[in-house]
């Protein structure tokens, strides 16, 4: 006798819900970042660079942070570099390696865009119990493997 396994359908439904929530949140963030001339991915890259010591990330790291393929990350870096928001720097320990570096203009734009981004993110987390609960759960899971000094968030 065959007993259907509903667990795969539950996972698929969960994945679809997560994708829909992400899409809604990204659409909201795109709207508040547009006046600053940034996309969510560009903001993510600038913000990730700002968190680095010396504001450097290798190209592979940048691609991973932005969830882009290597070629898409290169195109994005070209655009941000042309706008003067970041620069490419030869790696001092590996002459073949190239890092990206946040420029003063990139730091200034990030500082200007951050309040609108963070306010929209906090609003979305407060307005949607599902997104808020999911974010809290994911934050707790991430904190389990992170030093205490990195704890905290934009809505605290």
């Amino acid at each position: 006798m065959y007993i259907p396994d509903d667990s795969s359908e539950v996972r698929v439904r969960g994945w679809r819900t997560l994708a829909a929530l992400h899409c809604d949140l990204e659409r909201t963030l795109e709207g508040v970042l547009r006046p600053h001339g940034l996309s969510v991915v560009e903001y993510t890259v600038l913000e990730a660079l700002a968190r680095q010591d010396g504001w450097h990330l290798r190209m592979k790291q940048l691609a991973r942070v932005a969830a882009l393929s290597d070629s898409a990350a290169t195109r994005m870096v070209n655009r941000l570099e042309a706008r003067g928001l970041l620069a490419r720097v030869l790696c001092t320990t590996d002459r073949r390696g190239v890092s990206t570096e946040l420029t003063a203009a990139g730091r200034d734009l990030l500082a200007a865009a951050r309040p609108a981004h963070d306010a929209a993110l906090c609003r979305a987390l407060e307005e949607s119990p599902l997104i808020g609960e999911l974010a809290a759960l994911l934050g707790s899971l991430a904190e389990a493997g992170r030093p205490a000094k990195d704890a905290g968030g934009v809505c605290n």
Side-chain angles (χ1 to χ4, degrees):
M1 178 174 171
Y2 173 75
I3 300 174
D5 180 7
D6 292 336
S7 64
S8 63
E9 179 58 31
V10 168
R11 287 191 304 271
V12 168
R13 232 176 314 140
W15 176 253
R16 288 181 184 141
T17 301
L18 179 60
L21 291 171
H22 178 268
C23 183
D24 289 346
L25 184 54
E26 190 166 271
R27 188 177 305 121
T28 297
L29 294 175
E30 287 284 351
V32 300
L33 291 172
R34 190 173 302 115
H36 298 280
L38 290 171
S39 69
V40 170
V41 174
E42 291 168 339
Y43 179 90
T44 299
V45 167
L46 296 181
E47 198 273 331
L49 284 167
R51 287 185 282 122
Q52 304 305 309
D53 290 333
W55 301 305
H56 290 97
L57 276 177
R58 301 274 305 244
M59 291 296 287
K60 285 259 188 222
Q61 294 168 312
L62 189 138
R64 189 173 54 234
V65 163
L68 296 171
S69 67
D70 291 348
S71 61
T74 299
R75 288 189 302 273
M76 187 192 54
V77 166
N78 289 341
R79 288 191 308 273
L80 293 173
E81 186 177 36
R83 292 172 57 193
L85 302 175
L86 57 82
R88 293 173 204 236
V89 179
L90 291 177
C91 182
T92 57
T93 58
D94 178 2
R95 293 176 59 183
R96 297 169 296 164
V98 176
S99 294
T100 52
E101 175 181 270
L102 193 58
T103 63
R107 287 190 297 277
D108 291 347
L109 182 57
L110 179 63
R114 180 173 273 143
H117 173 275
D118 290 355
L121 181 58
C122 289
R123 259 191 325 275
L125 294 175
E126 291 167 0
E127 290 172 2
S128 171
L130 188 54
I131 293 175
E133 289 175 32
L134 181 60
L137 175 61
L138 293 172
S140 296
L141 293 172
E143 290 304 319
R146 207 179 269 169
K149 70 176 189 156
D150 291 337
V154 298
C155 299
N156 292 346

